[in-house]
Amino acid sequence: MGVLDDWTRDGVYYESMGARLMAKATWLTVPLVRAQVTYRDQHETLPLGEPAQLIGASKQGESESIRFFLAVHTPEWEWNHLERGEAAVFRVRLRTSDGVEREPSQIHRVANDPRFHFLYPYLVPLWIGYEVRFPAVVDGNAFTPQAGSTVTLLLTGTPGHLTLDWHVDR
């Protein structure tokens, strides 16, 4: 699925000779969701009307939240609990070129479900998957990245940090 590569970024933070944090993140945009629904429909033969319903829900949801699928690996199992929010070793934030930073409105740790492996082949054993949502509007500022701007997903914590950048073309 070539569109997956278009919307996925990855990074590794090393200290000395060891990786402290590895992550891959996919921005769940409408074009990506459309490609995923098409893939699922071709392989699962979804019920009639369900593909349109899933794409419509994605379009509607885009005005409410910015969504990412995130896979994370850390050398210490206890470090990999982003769903704990401020109590987690690593925290997630979203930053835009205009200087607006967003905290997640929801972080859901996903079960190790084989269905995720088909949509996100980078989710492999020993990596933990998360569905992360950020509010589309913060202090009256709507999320509307302009062409030429950058959207950055930050994973930060005492053991290290990563920045994953998406450069907006549209």
Side-chain angles (χ1 to χ4, degrees):
M1 193 173 0
V3 72
L4 180 65
D5 294 335
D6 294 342
W7 295 102
T8 300
R9 302 294 183 269
D10 61 5
V12 179
Y13 177 83
Y14 289 97
E15 185 173 285
S16 299
M17 297 295 287
R20 308 286 277 178
L21 173 65
M22 294 183 274
K24 290 192 177 221
T26 301
W27 184 357
L28 300 177
T29 61
V30 172
L32 176 80
V33 171
R34 186 178 296 115
Q36 287 179 329
V37 169
T38 300
Y39 175 87
R40 286 186 57 208
D41 194 31
Q42 289 170 349
H43 291 82
E44 298 175 40
T45 312
L46 295 172
L48 292 175
E50 188 171 323
Q53 181 183 12
L54 291 169
I55 293 168
S58 177
K59 287 179 182 177
Q60 181 180 357
E62 224 178 34
S63 65
E64 299 166 6
S65 63
I66 307 127
R67 301 178 315 127
F68 290 85
F69 184 84
L70 179 62
V72 177
H73 174 74
T74 60
E76 300 291 331
W77 184 83
E78 191 59 31
W79 293 358
N80 203 343
H81 286 281
L82 303 179
E83 77 280 5
R84 293 181 181 166
E86 291 186 19
V89 172
F90 290 102
R91 294 176 57 191
V92 183
R93 295 187 319 277
L94 185 68
R95 184 180 294 157
T96 52
S97 295
D98 59 5
V100 176
E101 197 165 281
R102 292 165 167 77
E103 297 285 333
S105 54
Q106 180 183 30
I107 300 176
H108 175 71
R109 187 180 175 127
V110 301
N112 192 358
D113 185 329
R115 292 176 296 175
F116 285 108
H117 299 282
F118 288 102
L119 297 176
Y120 309 102
Y122 54 81
L123 181 61
V124 294
L126 303 179
W127 287 58
I128 305 296
Y130 299 91
E131 293 174 335
V132 182
R133 292 177 184 260
F134 296 91
V137 178
V138 174
D139 298 328
N141 295 313
F143 180 76
T144 53
Q146 302 299 314
S149 67
T150 301
V151 174
T152 302
L153 190 68
L154 299 122
L155 281 85
T156 61
T158 305
H161 67 277
L162 284 179
T163 58
L164 305 176
D165 293 327
W166 285 261
H167 302 286
V168 179
D169 296 333
R170 55 182 169 99

